[in-house]
């Protein structure tokens, strides 16, 4: 699934998502079905299968074929919704992590800005009042 030589640093949400998928047989099966159902191979297999069905299996294939296609559509739409729910959960997890990181960065930047302001004020005060040992006549 992942290349052991890959040294790319991934977002913590990506790492957690991959670990969760790797630990769940149901999620791996759902991913495999969704990946296959979204491929051109799936389309070709169905086009050939339905053509053969209509030509050689039944003389009046429409009622049975309609039932099969309807049931398949129900299951495929369920897998699509599972994928969308998982994607939404992943995006929310990533957004939550990013929010926490940005808030921490904002807090750090605010503290640094205050320290710079204090140093600048102190430097200004020393320059205006004159530093010890400086003759201002």
């Amino acid at each position: 699934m992942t290349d052991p030589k890959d040294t790319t640093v991934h977002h913590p949400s990506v790492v957690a998502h991959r670990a969760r998928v790797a630990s769940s047989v149901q999620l791996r099966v759902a991913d495999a079905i969704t990946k296959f159902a979204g491929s051109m191979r799936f389309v070709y297999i169905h086009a050939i299968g339905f053509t053969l069905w209509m030509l050689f299996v039944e003389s009046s294939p429409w009622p049975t074929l309609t039932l099969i296609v309807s049931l398949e559509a129900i299951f495929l739409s369920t897998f699509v919704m599972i994928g969308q729910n998982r994607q939404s959960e992943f995006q929310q997890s990533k957004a939550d992590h990013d929010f926490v990181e940005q808030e921490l960065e904002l807090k750090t930047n605010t503290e640094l800005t205050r320290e710079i302001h204090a140093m600048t004020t102190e430097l200004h005060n020393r320059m205006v009042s004159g530093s010890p040992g400086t003759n201002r006549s």
Side-chain angles (χ1 to χ4, degrees):
M1 186 165 153
T2 58
D3 183 5
K5 297 175 191 169
D6 184 13
T7 58
T8 305
V9 177
H10 294 284
H11 193 281
S13 295
V14 173
V15 173
H17 173 74
R18 287 182 177 175
R20 197 172 121 242
V21 168
S23 69
S24 172
V25 174
Q26 289 179 340
L27 293 178
R28 288 195 310 267
V29 169
D31 282 346
I33 290 170
T34 304
K35 184 176 180 180
F36 174 67
S39 70
M40 285 307 293
R41 190 171 61 162
F42 178 82
V43 173
Y44 297 142
I45 289 171
H46 278 74
I48 292 168
F50 292 152
T51 301
L52 293 174
W53 179 282
M54 289 185 286
L55 294 175
F56 301 113
V57 175
E58 287 193 30
S59 58
S60 179
W62 300 115
T64 307
L65 193 58
T66 301
L67 175 66
I68 290 170
V69 171
S70 297
L71 288 173
E72 184 178 46
I74 290 168
F75 284 107
L76 289 177
S77 64
T78 302
F79 285 113
V80 168
M81 287 188 288
I82 290 169
Q84 288 174 336
N85 288 341
R86 288 183 44 225
Q87 183 65 26
S88 174
E89 180 183 313
F90 170 76
Q91 290 298 332
Q92 186 61 51
S93 172
K94 186 176 181 304
D96 291 344
H97 176 271
D98 290 347
F99 176 77
V100 169
E101 291 296 314
Q102 289 171 0
E103 286 295 307
L104 179 60
E105 187 173 335
L106 179 62
K107 184 177 180 181
T108 302
N109 286 343
T110 302
E111 290 172 5
L112 287 172
T113 301
R114 285 184 179 139
E115 290 296 321
I116 290 170
H117 176 69
M119 289 172 50
T120 305
T121 302
E122 178 65 26
L123 182 61
H124 176 74
N125 290 338
R126 286 186 185 188
M127 295 287 286
V128 169
S129 66
S131 57
T134 305
N135 187 1
R136 294 190 148 231
S137 322

